[in-house]
Amino acid sequence: MRSKLFILLVLAMAGCMPKNNRPMGEGAGSTDYREPWRPQFHFSPASGWMNDPNGMVYYDGEYHLFYQHYPDSTVWGPMHWGHAISTDLVHWQQMPIAIYPDTLGWIFSGSAVLDAENSSGLGTAENPPLVAIYTYHNDLLGRNGQNPQSQGIAYSTDKGRSWTKYPGNPVLKSPGINDFRDPKVFLHQETQKWIMALAVQDRIHFYSSPDLLTWSFESDFGKDLGAHGGVWECPDLFPMVVEEIGLTKWVLLVNINPGGPNGGSANQYFVGDFDGHTFTPDPEFLTTLESGATETSPFNNWVDWGRDNYAGVTWSNIPPSDGRRLLIGWMSNWQYANVVPTSTWRSACTLVRELKLVHDHNSFLLVSRPVSELQTLRDTASHVKLPPETFSGEKILDAGMVTLSQCEMILEFEAGENLPDTLEITLENELNERYNFGYDPQKGLLYSNRSNAGGTGFSDQFAGTATAPFKTEKSLQLHLFVDAASIEIFVNGGQRVMTEILFPSTGFKTLKVNAKGAEVTLNQAELYSLRRIW
Ligand code: FRU
């Protein structure tokens, strides 16, 4: 937030104030989505700046994705809610900007719900409203030493196409705290009240409401728990059924910046119970961590261990017949988000992931997997399936006609008698730029090294190796997605995930595996080029 405030100051001095009467469609820009490093199967804004995904809600056959957006620049500035719609979680249609700043402030992160019973009275019983709940950030107040943040709402009765601000805004004022933001709202079935989880500096506040318009404080959580290397932002709270044991637990996501396990921004989680008033964590989530987890840290509850999955929260109103808990994150990190070398737009979202809560070593593990809809992008004509093979040392895998800079790979390794010192995969281009991902069984670590994978000079915080603690017996399954400037790696069914962005000068052409010091068997190796979504 500190670097953002600096940018704000610069923008304010340059007279860069929000324009409220932008014509419909602006922000959509004109692009063929072919610029260098433009993702081909991830959502990125047609033009301008993007950070957090916001207000994801499913309604009437459409998945809405709103996002923090500054249309006038490719660096962070006066925030709007950009908008995109998908009918399959894979293809996205860029929509006009949904919510503009106004005299109460810029439109920071938040959520959206279907008010099915029209409890707010903002729609009708026949046509219930979609209601967006967001943070107003009033820059002027902030600069005059007053609390800049409050919560406002806007509603839509035309399937999210146009949004009207509630005349009684703000609906929740700050009790005298600067960091007071990112409301995530849901209907608590048992009490039939709306619950808001709000990030307040170093903790989460819970509020309740009968109608989305008036809010009462219920409780706070987390001042002494979890990671505290930075400010808490963008929470989410939802129930999940642990399928093996048929138990319902509540998962609380809390994004934090900085203080992530590999520096900068990251998303931590807690598992416990919620009774409509208070979140009570399970005993194994009672750890505190002052600054950034390390491999020896007892606090290992991160949604993603890569450096580029921030501000992730889940969709609301997914129909019970589907029942999935779907997450999407911002594929960047505040350490360098404003300076990555893209031209007319900045940042993309992660792939949409399905979350599962599994019982693991007397605790709970939040697992994420890419949604199955992504399989529709597989180009079966260039599909490569290699026969099983036992090898040691370095080996080039024949990727055939697969485009390695736009692909999906499933690699499954089985160790022999002895475990290798490391098991590594490398993606390389003709300029000898290479990205390495590997597993070190002795250290019990996964690692992702982008130091030599292309441009890193735009920020001294970009190069380097990210690690994640991980132990597996004999087999390692990697499910990878490479898309121009990003790689997402789901390990052993999503028990660990690492999402990283990279900026190779040209596309990767060679795929190598290297089992150092022992034989391993590559039991499964399937590669697919993925079709572009634009
Ligand atoms: C997280 C965040 C939020 C805030 C938004 C502003 O990345 O800092 O806390 O609402 O970005 O753009």
Side-chain angles (χ1 to χ4, degrees):
M1 198 64 185
R2 224 173 296 137
S3 56
K4 276 188 270 175
L5 288 178
F6 171 73
I7 292 163
L8 277 185
L9 225 85
V10 174
L11 288 170
M13 286 186 311
C16 241
M17 294 314 284
K19 302 180 185 76
N20 286 327
N21 298 317
R22 195 179 313 285
M24 291 283 279
E26 192 170 334
S30 85
T31 174
D32 58 1
Y33 292 90
R34 296 270 188 197
E35 301 92 339
W37 300 304
R38 176 71 94 166
Q40 297 299 304
F41 59 90
H42 288 79
F43 175 75
S44 59
S47 64
W49 166 267
M50 175 179 80
N51 56 293
D52 314 357
N54 296 148
M56 288 87 78
V57 60
Y58 174 86
Y59 185 48
D60 207 7
E62 295 176 327
Y63 299 92
H64 293 268
L65 167 64
F66 302 92
Y67 55 90
Q68 288 287 276
H69 182 44
Y70 184 29
D72 296 338
S73 173
T74 50
V75 296
W76 189 83
M79 287 289 110
H80 303 51
W81 272 27
H83 187 196
I85 291 181
S86 174
T87 53
D88 63 1
L89 295 169
V90 175
H91 297 85
W92 294 97
Q93 191 189 347
Q94 177 74 63
M95 302 297 288
I97 289 171
I99 310 182
Y100 287 84
D102 60 47
T103 50
L104 291 175
W106 301 344
I107 314 296
F108 271 20
S109 287
S111 51
V113 294
L114 173 68
D115 181 12
E117 304 292 325
N118 193 30
S119 68
S120 61
L122 297 171
T124 59
E126 303 71 46
N127 187 22
L130 286 174
V131 178
I133 308 98
Y134 54 81
T135 296
Y136 272 118
H137 177 88
N138 190 314
D139 183 50
L140 210 60
L141 286 183
R143 278 189 278 137
N144 289 330
Q146 289 165 281
N147 305 133
Q149 299 180 349
S150 60
Q151 319 316 318
I153 68 179
Y155 59 97
S156 168
T157 50
D158 59 357
K159 295 182 66 183
R161 277 20 183 215
S162 67
W163 291 83
T164 306
K165 307 248 179 64
Y166 173 59
N169 278 337
V171 294
L172 180 61
K173 287 190 185 144
S174 167
I177 300 167
N178 278 351
D179 294 311
F180 187 71
R181 60 178 177 270
D182 307 340
K184 181 70 164 69
V185 172
F186 66 96
L187 185 67
H188 185 250
Q189 292 302 335
E190 290 73 15
T191 56
Q192 280 298 301
K193 283 204 170 162
W194 297 101
I195 299 293
M196 177 196 291
L198 194 73
V200 184
Q201 251 169 350
D202 57 355
R203 66 198 75 178
I204 302 302
H205 278 190
F206 296 107
Y207 295 83
S208 69
S209 170
D211 56 6
L212 294 164
L213 307 177
T214 50
W215 293 93
S216 314
F217 178 76
E218 291 284 348
S219 62
D220 69 297
F221 166 81
K223 174 179 145 4
D224 298 316
L225 295 177
H228 280 281
V231 67
W232 282 20
E233 300 185 314
C234 301
D236 195 356
L237 177 66
F238 46 85
M240 293 199 88
V241 177
V242 185
E243 281 161 13
E244 313 102 281
I245 51 177
L247 187 70
T248 298
K249 298 299 292 181
W250 285 78
V251 176
L252 176 66
L253 305 182
V254 178
N255 286 274
I256 178 170
N257 177 61
N262 285 292
S265 322
N267 194 349
Q268 62 185 315
Y269 68 92
F270 302 85
V271 178
D273 295 301
F274 182 71
D275 61 2
H277 308 280
T278 307
F279 177 77
T280 310
D282 279 11
E284 61 278 12
F285 290 84
L286 290 176
T287 314
T288 310
L289 185 70
E290 283 309 325
S291 58
T294 67
E295 67 255 34
T296 52
S297 160
F299 187 80
N300 281 338
N301 311 309
W302 299 97
V303 174
D304 191 315
W305 288 78
R307 285 164 283 198
D308 297 295
N309 182 357
Y310 191 53
V313 288
T314 66
W315 252 273
S316 79
N317 203 41
I318 295 293
S321 56
D322 176 324
R324 289 178 297 178
R325 185 50 64 175
L326 301 171
L327 177 101
I328 193 167
W330 173 44
M331 205 155 52
S332 198
N333 188 315
W334 281 118
Q335 285 186 321
Y336 41 73
N338 277 289
V339 294
V340 297
T342 57
S343 51
T344 51
W345 90 102
R346 264 213 185 91
S347 300
C349 285
T350 66
L351 293 174
V352 181
R353 292 143 189 218
E354 178 183 358
L355 299 180
K356 292 260 180 206
L357 192 61
V358 298
H359 204 217
D360 174 69
H361 296 98
N362 292 324
S363 183
F364 295 102
L365 180 70
L366 191 66
V367 161
S368 4
R369 298 177 190 148
V371 289
S372 57
E373 284 90 334
L374 286 159
Q375 290 173 18
T376 59
L377 292 178
R378 289 175 177 175
D379 170 24
T380 44
S382 62
H383 175 213
V384 166
K385 187 175 162 106
L386 298 173
E389 193 177 347
T390 301
F391 70 100
S392 65
E394 187 171 273
K395 181 176 167 47
I396 294 182
L397 298 187
D398 182 1
M401 299 299 285
V402 170
T403 309
L404 290 176
S405 55
Q406 192 179 318
C407 74
E408 175 185 358
M409 303 190 245
I410 300 164
L411 303 174
E412 199 170 312
F413 301 90
E414 178 103 19
E417 203 106 305
N418 302 314
L419 295 177
D421 297 333
T422 57
L423 177 60
E424 188 171 274
I425 65 157
T426 301
L427 283 162
E428 207 168 292
N429 66 15
E430 285 147 345
L431 299 171
N432 200 25
E433 293 171 341
R434 58 205 177 278
Y435 167 77
N436 305 104
F437 180 84
Y439 177 53
D440 180 332
Q442 264 77 43
K443 290 191 185 141
L445 279 186
L446 298 163
Y447 59 89
S448 164
N449 180 359
R450 63 184 176 193
S451 299
N452 308 304
T456 61
F458 48 84
S459 161
D460 57 11
Q461 307 210 69
F462 189 78
T465 300
T467 60
F470 187 62
K471 281 276 181 213
T472 172
E473 294 297 311
K474 290 234 144 178
S475 64
L476 184 73
Q477 197 219 37
L478 305 179
H479 192 174
L480 305 96
F481 291 83
V482 185
D483 187 7
S486 66
I487 184 157
E488 286 155 284
I489 304 167
F490 300 84
V491 180
N492 285 21
Q495 291 179 29
R496 287 289 182 278
V497 190
M498 294 188 88
T499 301
E500 301 254 281
I501 56 173
L502 0 141
F503 297 93
S505 313
T506 67
F508 294 124
K509 288 282 163 6
T510 310
L511 171 64
K512 289 178 185 165
V513 290
N514 191 349
K516 291 182 194 158
E519 279 194 332
V520 302
T521 302
L522 182 57
N523 274 329
Q524 192 191 357
E526 290 204 58
L527 318 180
Y528 297 88
S529 293
L530 294 189
R531 278 186 289 271
R532 67 197 296 264
I533 60 170
W534 305 112

